[in-house]
Amino acid sequence: MALLEARGVIRRPFFEGRDLDLAAGEIVALSGPSGSGKTLFLRALADLDPVDAGEVRLDGVLRETMDGPAWRSRVLYVHQAGVRLPGTVADNLARVADLHVQRARAERIRAGVDGLDASTDADRLSGGEAQALALDRALACEPAVLLLDEATSAMDPETAARWEGRVRAFADAGGAVLWVAHDVRLAGRVGARQERFP
Amino acid sequence: MTPLALVDLTWWDLTLAAALILINAAASLALRLGLEKKLLVASLRTLVQLSLLGLVLQWVFRQPGPWAVIGMMLVMVVLAGWEAVRRTTYRVRGGYLLSMGVMFVASMTVTLYGVVVILGVRPWYTPHFAIPILGMLLGNTLNGISLGLETALEGFRRDRPEVEMLLAHGATRSEASRDVVRRAVRTGMIPILNAMVAAGLISIPGMMTGQILAGQDPASAARYQIFILFSIAGGVALGTMGMVFVASRLVFDDRDRLRAERIRRVGRP
C-alpha cells in the first residue's frame, strides 16, 4: 500500500485529476516545464492550499480526519528558497523546535546543521546554505513524507551530493519523497522513479 | 481657589480668529502651494462640524434618560470603527464590521470603568462625563486599530513565505502568526506610549488646556489629564489587540492554512 496516496486532485486552473502513489522507501522525481503547476501540486499535497476536489491519504488515513498542523508535520513541504526567519541559524532551528507538534524532537531539531555555524546570521547564508538549513530542519522533524521543491538547486555539486545522500537515507529508513527537480540526472543519483507533470 | 470667569467666545471673536487663517492663505499664494481651496474647505469644515457637534451635544445634554446618550455614543463608535478601516491600504472581508465591534468593546469597557469606577459618576450615562471621555478614547483607539490592522495584514502578505514555512513544519495558526501579531500590536501601541512620554514636556495636552481655559485649578486639570491618558492607553491596548487577533484569525482557514488571497490591497483614499 502507498504511504502517500492522492486521487483525482484538482486545483483549477492549474491541474485536473492528478493521482499519486508514493510508497515507503520510495523517491519520485517530478519533472515538467516551469509554470506547469508542480509547486502547486506539492503545496496541495501538503495542505498549504485548498483544492477544488480530490482525496489525499497518508497510510490509508484520509487527510480531513487529521487537523491541518498534524497533517503538515507528517507530509512536510520544503520550499525551494530555503526560507529563513530573522536571527541566527540556531534561532531558526529553535523556532521550529518550539512548535507544539515538534516537542518530542526538539533536541534533534536544535542540534545544528552539518556544515553551518549555528551563530551565523541566517540573512547572510548563501542560497545553497539556506537550502541546507531548510533540508536539515525538515529532516530533523522526522516527517513521513518529504515534498521537496528544487531543494538542492542552489548547492554546489559536492554539497548537493551530500544532501541527496541524506534524503536517500531518509527514504531507506521508511520515508517517502516527492522531489520536484529540473536536473534530469538527479533521479539517477538518488535512485528515483521518474514522473512527468502535468 | 475660585474658578476664574469663563470668557465666552462670540461670533465676532471667531471672526477675529479666522483672520489667523489668512496667514495660511498668504503663504499658499506667495509660495504657490495651491492650497487655497483645501484651506477654504478645511476651515469651513472645522466651523460647520464643530458648531454642529456643539448643537447636538447641547440637545443630548438636555434629554432625560439614557437613550440620547446611548444613541450618540453608538454613532460615535460606528464612525470611529469605520474610519479606522478606511485609513488602511490592506483590507479583509468584514473588516469594517469587526472594527466597529472591537471599537465598541474596547472604548465602552474603558469609558464605563472610567465613569463609574474611577469618577464614581451616577448615573453612568451622565452625558458631560461619558461623551467627552468616549470621544478622547475613540480618537486614539482608532489610530491603534488602524495601525495594528494595517501592519498585521501587510505582514501576512509580505512574510507569507516565513509564515508558511512554519505552517509546513506543523505550526498552528497562532504559532505561525506570532511574529506578525507581535509586530502589529507593538506598532499600534507605540504612538500612545510616545504621547505619554512627551505629555506636559512639549505641549499642554488639549483636554488640560480646555479645563484651564474653563477656569479649573491646573493641578486638578493635570490629574484629569493623567486619568485620561491612562484610560486612552488601556483603550488603545484593548482595541489594537482585539483587532489584530481577529484579523489574524480571518486570514487563516479552519485547516490553519494562510489564505493570503483574502487580503486585498486598495488604493490609498
Side-chain angles (χ1 to χ4, degrees), chain A residues 2 15 27 30 40 75-76 82 118 131 134 162 164 178-179 185:
Chain A
F15 49 83
I27 302 179
L30 198 60
L40 290 174
V75 181
L76 204 160
Q131 286 186 329
R162 199 164 74 238
E164 284 163 10
L178 182 60
W179 197 331
R185 284 159 303 185

Side-chain angles (χ1 to χ4, degrees), chain A residues 48-149:
Chain A
L48 283 167
D49 292 329
V51 292
D52 295 305
E55 272 186 7
V56 187
R57 289 169 192 273
L58 178 70
D59 241 341
V61 178
L62 196 61
R63 175 159 72 183
E64 282 63 38
T65 61
M66 297 168 77
D67 65 30
W71 174 269
R72 285 185 286 270
S73 72
R74 307 295 297 137
V75 181
L76 204 160
Y77 169 75
V78 180
H79 193 282
Q80 170 174 17
V83 178
R84 287 153 279 178
L85 303 170
T88 62
V89 168
D91 294 335
N92 267 266
L93 296 171
R95 189 77 168 78
V96 169
D98 288 341
L99 298 179
H100 198 262
V101 75
Q102 303 296 359
R103 288 278 152 80
R105 290 167 287 270
E107 222 164 290
R108 222 195 120 183
I109 298 170
R110 284 172 193 272
V113 184
D114 183 20
L116 291 185
D117 179 356
S119 63
T120 310
D121 187 343
D123 271 344
R124 298 205 163 167
L125 298 179
S126 70
E129 287 173 325
Q131 286 186 329
L133 167 62
L135 263 177
D136 188 275
R137 195 169 50 194
L139 284 163
C141 290
E142 300 174 320
V145 178
L146 269 179
L147 305 170
L148 304 180
D149 198 350

Side-chain angles (χ1 to χ4, degrees), chain A residues 7 9 11 35 39-41 48 60 65 87 92 94 113 120 125 138 152 176 184 188 190 192:
Chain A
R7 288 287 170 270
V9 179
R11 167 97 198 266
T39 292
L40 290 174
F41 184 54
L48 283 167
T65 61
N92 267 266
V113 184
T120 310
L125 298 179
T152 56
V184 289
V190 297

Side-chain angles (χ1 to χ4, degrees), chain B:
Chain B
M1 178 170 165
T2 32
L4 299 166
L6 176 60
V7 182
D8 202 22
L9 287 175
T10 62
W11 288 106
W12 170 243
D13 296 329
L14 287 186
T15 313
L16 289 179
L20 296 170
I21 293 290
L22 293 176
I23 299 173
N24 299 53
S28 180
L29 288 171
L31 301 173
R32 299 181 185 206
L33 304 177
L35 290 175
E36 300 85 21
K37 204 180 147 198
K38 232 185 157 80
L39 183 63
L40 185 68
V41 171
S43 306
L44 285 177
R45 281 190 65 158
T46 301
L47 185 72
V48 172
Q49 287 167 196
L50 289 180
S51 303
L52 273 178
L53 178 65
L55 289 177
V56 170
L57 288 179
Q58 221 170 32
W59 180 82
V60 170
F61 282 21
R62 274 201 308 262
Q63 303 310 305
W67 294 110
V69 179
I70 291 173
M72 174 91 195
M73 290 174 106
L74 283 180
V75 170
M76 289 164 71
V77 166
V78 165
L79 287 178
W82 182 77
E83 176 65 16
V85 175
R86 199 190 65 85
R87 286 183 186 180
T88 60
T89 51
Y90 292 91
R91 307 266 170 87
V92 280
R93 252 181 85 178
Y96 281 105
L97 218 58
L98 285 166
S99 167
M100 290 168 193
V102 169
M103 190 70 88
F104 179 82
V105 174
S107 61
M108 292 304 275
T109 308
V110 177
T111 300
L112 288 181
Y113 180 74
V115 172
V116 176
V117 179
I118 300 175
L119 297 177
V121 173
R122 297 287 186 282
W124 68 265
Y125 53 83
T126 306
H128 70 274
F129 286 99
I131 289 179
I133 289 173
L134 178 69
M136 299 281 290
L137 280 173
L138 288 177
N140 290 277
T141 308
L142 188 164
N143 266 327
I145 286 184
S146 197
L147 281 171
L149 179 65
E150 178 84 347
T151 312
L153 295 182
E154 197 218 335
F156 281 120
R157 286 254 298 227
R158 202 190 52 203
D159 295 348
R160 184 177 170 188
E162 289 80 0
V163 172
E164 287 195 327
M165 184 276 283
L166 289 166
L167 290 176
H169 289 75
T172 60
R173 58 178 169 249
S174 51
E175 286 174 323
S177 54
R178 200 183 73 188
D179 298 346
V180 174
V181 164
R182 264 197 196 148
R183 202 166 57 220
V185 174
R186 264 184 73 91
T187 306
M189 301 210 315
I190 280 174
I192 181 61
L193 295 181
N194 287 339
M196 288 169 76
V197 170
L201 285 182
I202 297 154
S203 63
I204 302 182
M207 193 205 65
M208 193 170 158
T209 308
Q211 281 196 304
I212 294 171
L213 285 177
Q216 271 276 342
D217 169 24
S220 156
R223 285 195 298 274
Y224 256 88
Q225 187 64 48
I226 294 168
F227 151 64
I228 279 292
L229 275 175
F230 285 174
S231 304
I232 288 174
V236 168
L238 275 181
T240 307
M241 281 191 299
M243 194 68 214
V244 170
F245 286 141
V246 173
S248 54
R249 174 66 189 82
L250 281 182
V251 298
F252 288 89
D253 65 18
D254 53 4
R255 293 194 61 76
D256 290 40
R257 293 180 288 224
L258 176 61
R259 304 293 293 272
E261 77 277 9
R262 291 181 182 173
I263 303 169
R264 279 190 339 278
R265 208 198 152 132
V266 294
R268 195 134 191 96

